[in-house]
Amino acid sequence: MSQQFNITILPGDGIGPEVTAQAERVMKVLESKLDLKLKTSELPVGGAAYEATGKPLPDDTLNSAKEADAVLLGAVGGPKWESIDFSLRPERALLGLRSSLGLYANLRPAKVFDALVDASTLKRDVVDGLDLLVVRELTGGIYFGQPRGVETDADGRRRGFNTLVYTEDEIRRIAVIAFDVARKRNKKVCSIDKANVLECTGFWREVVIETHKDYADVELEHMYVDNCAMQLVRNPKQFDVILTTNMFGDILSDEASMLTGSIGMLPSASLGGKNGMYEPIHGSAPDIAGKDWANPLATILSVGMMFKYSLGIEKANTLVENAVEAVLKLGYRTRDIMSEGQTEVGTQAMGDAVVKELESAEC
Ligand code: IPM
Ligand code: MG
C-alpha cells in the first residue's frame, strides 16, 4: 500500500499563491512518481485570512497545520495591512504558526547552483561551489521576548521597547541541531553573537561552548554578527553551518541568499515540533504580485526539503534539486536571475520546466 501524508498548504499573500501553485504541481508529480498518497488542504493565512475572517491565523488554519504531517507556506504581508494593530498583522500568523507548532529550528541552506554562478552580484570565484547552511533559532529571542510595546509616560514622552531573552534550554536545543547537521556536512559550526555588547548573546556563546563538549568531532568557531555580515560577502566559503539567534538569522539569511543569485532561490525548513513547516525565505513581494514574474524555485526547493525532513523521503529532495539544476542548465530564468543569453520565463513556465524535468527523471 502506498504511504499516505496530509499536507496543509497556506498560500498567503502577494506572490505566495503564485509560487505555492507551482510547488503544488511539483508535489503532485512526486506523488505519482514515488507512488504516495498526498492529501492536501488549502487554507487562508496572513492578510488573506484577515480579510476573510478578521484574524491573520484563524483557528481552522492553525488546527489544520497542527494535524498535518507537514505545512507548505507561501508568504505573508503587504502594504495594505501595514497600519493595522500589530496583533492582527499578517506577520503575526507566521510567528503564531512557528511558536504553536514548536518549530524552534529553522534551516536555511544557501547553495549556489553551477548554472547560476554568474547571477550573483559577487565575483564568480567568491561564490562558485558555495554551500552553507544557516541554522536560525526561530521561537525565541527578541521576536518573542516580553515585555514589548510602545508606551507614553506621564509627560507624554513615548518609548518603544523589545526584550532579547534566551533560556539555557532554548540555546542548547538549537545548538544540538546545528552540531547534528554539521556532522552530516563539513563538521564546522560558526556561532554568531554580539557577545561584546549584549549579555544575552554572551550567555548564548557560553551555552554553545558547553553543548559542544559532546561534539568533539565538530569544529566550533564564534564570530560577532557585524563581522559575519562582512565575512559573508568577503569570503562566504569559509562557512559550513552558521548557528545564530532569531533576529540575526533573519538578517544574515537574507544576505546569504544574494550569494546564490537571488532571494527567490532560498528554501527553508522549520523543525522541532511533531511536524515541519516549509517556506521560501522571501516575502510576499506585493510589487510584483499577479504579474507571473515571481521565481517559484525557492518554494519548489522547499517541497524537496519537506519530503526529506517531514516525510522521510530523502530521494525526493535529490530529484527536486536535480530538476532545478537541470532547468537552470537549460537556460530558463525568471527575471530575478536573468542574464544575457538565457531564456526569460514567468512563474508558470518555470513551473512547467521543473515539472517536465521531474516527470522524465529516473528514480
Ligand atoms: C522570514 C521573514 C519573517 C521573519 C517575517 C515575515 C515575520 O522575514 O521568515 O525571514 O522575520 O522571520
Ligand atoms: Mg526574513
Side-chain angles (χ1 to χ4, degrees):
M1 214 181 77
S2 43
Q3 279 181 289
Q4 294 198 18
F5 299 102
N6 292 324
I7 314 287
T8 291
I9 302 180
L10 311 175
D13 308 318
I15 59 170
E18 294 166 65
V19 293
T20 45
Q22 300 313 313
E24 202 176 339
R25 294 175 65 198
V26 166
M27 271 168 46
K28 294 266 175 263
V29 181
L30 291 169
E31 177 182 31
S32 70
K33 235 186 151 63
L34 302 172
D35 189 25
L36 309 168
K37 271 221 148 356
L38 301 184
K39 188 174 164 287
T40 56
S41 320
E42 196 174 299
L43 288 115
V45 75
Y50 174 75
E51 296 300 328
T53 69
K55 287 186 188 170
L57 181 56
D59 293 346
D60 285 353
T61 301
L62 180 59
N63 289 336
S64 168
K66 278 186 176 160
E67 282 156 22
D69 293 299
V71 181
L72 179 72
L73 185 136
V76 294
K80 194 169 170 191
W81 306 287
E82 263 163 22
S83 51
I84 62 175
D85 189 77
F86 254 86
S87 63
L88 295 172
R89 297 238 182 120
E91 289 79 3
R92 297 314 303 174
L94 192 49
L95 302 176
L97 279 163
R98 289 171 180 170
S99 82
S100 306
L101 301 179
L103 306 174
Y104 64 85
N106 187 214
L107 311 188
R108 300 188 156 188
K111 202 164 149 179
V112 174
F113 287 95
D114 286 345
L116 283 190
V117 184
D118 294 313
S120 174
T121 46
L122 293 171
K123 291 195 189 106
R124 161 179 274 272
D125 59 322
V126 176
V127 295
D128 187 17
L130 176 81
D131 179 1
L132 65 80
L133 175 70
V134 177
V135 175
R136 170 188 177 195
E137 197 291 323
L138 203 61
T139 52
I142 200 164
Y143 270 52
F144 291 90
Q146 296 287 347
R148 59 193 296 150
V150 180
E151 60 186 24
T152 311
D153 69 12
D155 300 322
R157 280 183 303 236
R158 288 176 302 159
R159 181 174 96 94
F161 52 97
N162 286 92
T163 304
L164 172 61
V165 53
Y166 270 114
T167 65
E168 184 172 348
D169 291 350
E170 283 175 325
I171 302 168
R172 188 163 287 123
R173 68 184 181 180
I174 191 71
V176 162
I177 297 271
F179 290 130
D180 282 343
V181 290
R183 270 190 175 151
K184 296 190 194 131
R185 299 174 46 100
N186 290 329
K187 298 191 169 60
K188 260 176 71 178
V189 171
C190 185
S191 172
I192 309 302
D193 57 48
K194 187 71 186 173
N196 50 343
V197 178
L198 303 172
E199 287 82 351
C200 178
T201 71
F203 176 59
W204 169 282
R205 186 180 287 212
E206 214 177 293
V207 178
V208 170
I209 291 171
E210 286 164 21
T211 312
H212 181 236
K213 293 202 176 101
D214 296 331
Y215 293 88
D217 53 322
V218 179
E219 192 187 316
L220 171 66
E221 217 194 327
H222 305 273
M223 201 180 271
Y224 297 143
V225 63
D226 48 350
N227 185 20
C228 178
M230 185 269 280
Q231 295 296 338
L232 271 173
V233 286
R234 192 186 77 90
N235 175 22
K237 283 190 255 181
Q238 70 186 284
F239 298 109
D240 177 25
V241 174
I242 290 179
L243 160 65
T244 192
T245 63
N246 204 340
M247 187 160 83
F248 294 163
D250 179 43
I251 299 166
L252 295 173
S253 59
D254 265 30
E255 188 185 0
S257 76
M258 278 316 290
L259 306 171
T260 71
S262 164
I263 194 163
M265 293 300 300
L266 239 70
S268 84
S270 301
L271 310 170
K274 94 173 204 331
N275 58 15
M277 184 160 78
Y278 300 82
E279 46 174 318
I281 80 151
H282 62 68
S284 59
D287 51 326
I288 63 162
K291 294 196 158 110
D292 194 45
W293 286 0
N295 184 347
L297 294 178
T299 319
I300 287 172
L301 290 165
S302 300
V303 167
M305 292 187 89
M306 173 197 287
F307 275 79
K308 173 172 172 178
Y309 292 105
S310 281
L311 313 188
I313 309 173
E314 187 155 358
K315 180 167 70 173
N317 188 37
T318 312
L319 284 170
V320 171
E321 285 187 355
N322 290 346
V324 168
E325 173 97 66
V327 301
L328 293 172
K329 278 215 180 93
L330 288 169
Y332 294 116
R333 301 281 188 276
T334 40
R335 7 176 101 209
D336 55 315
I337 48 175
M338 183 62 192
S339 57
E340 228 182 283
Q342 313 294 343
T343 316
E344 190 176 317
V345 291
T347 312
Q348 291 202 36
M350 186 57 111
D352 292 344
V354 176
V355 162
K356 192 166 161 223
E357 275 305 319
L358 263 182
E359 275 169 346
S360 61
E362 297 214 1
C363 60

